[in-house]
Amino acid sequence: IIRLENIEMNVPSEDREAAIRRVGGMLVRGGYVEEEYIEGMLARDNSFSTYMGNMIALPHGENKYKENILSTGIAVVTYPDGIEWQGQTVKMVIGIAANADEHLEILGRIVDRMEEPEDVLNLVEGGDKQAVFDMLAD
């Protein structure tokens, strides 16, 4: 579901759309989704914010873009200086490509492992790709 090459650390701040396009592009390059899925990620976040609390956003595609998913996977980008996300500050963006049943499992895993804001800050500020991988991998 996650590979080290699908984690990008210490990215300079950018706007929300650029962040979604960045993490979506990583999902495309990782072979998880087709390019069209990125438009579904943008549409989802424009209709219902994917900010999940604890400085984390979890962009994922609208249901009609599920056909553009090739396999389940996630990609992670960290922003030590934070980015503005519909009125919230986000320091970690986790792009998700998953079928309906796997989607809820992945969300639950992320919520369980990133329960405290300190967990997120330690990963973002530590700048250690392996630590992020270890936190999110099975």
Side-chain angles (χ1 to χ4, degrees):
I1 291 179
I2 188 168
R3 297 187 300 256
L4 278 174
E5 60 266 23
N6 293 330
I7 301 170
E8 197 172 329
M9 305 295 292
N10 302 313
V11 174
S13 295
E14 57 190 352
D15 67 31
R16 179 176 55 89
E17 181 176 337
I20 292 171
R21 288 191 183 282
R22 178 184 299 273
V23 78
M26 292 167 68
L27 291 171
V28 170
R29 288 187 300 280
Y32 300 116
V33 299
E34 297 170 338
E35 187 82 27
E36 294 82 5
Y37 187 75
I38 298 170
E39 297 309 313
M41 295 171 79
L42 290 164
R44 165 69 64 152
D45 196 69
N46 286 326
S47 66
F48 185 80
S49 178
T50 57
Y51 176 76
M52 300 301 287
N54 289 348
M55 298 169 286
I56 299 173
L58 300 171
H60 54 282
E62 290 184 322
N63 285 337
K64 71 179 187 176
Y65 290 88
K66 295 287 184 188
E67 67 188 30
N68 300 114
I69 297 173
L70 304 172
S71 65
T72 297
I74 62 176
V76 180
V77 180
T78 66
Y79 298 91
D81 295 328
I83 59 174
E84 192 278 328
W85 202 281
Q86 297 185 356
Q88 303 293 327
T89 299
V90 166
K91 293 194 175 225
M92 183 178 285
V93 177
I94 305 173
I96 300 173
N99 296 320
D101 53 339
E102 294 172 318
H103 180 81
L104 293 176
E105 180 183 329
I106 290 170
L107 287 175
R109 182 182 316 148
I110 292 168
V111 168
D112 286 347
R113 296 181 184 182
M114 307 275 192
E115 190 171 359
E116 299 297 326
E118 297 80 28
D119 297 333
V120 177
L121 284 175
N122 288 338
L123 290 173
V124 171
E125 293 171 0
D128 182 355
K129 192 184 276 198
Q130 186 65 50
V132 172
F133 177 84
D134 291 345
M135 177 70 82
L136 295 173
D138 282 334

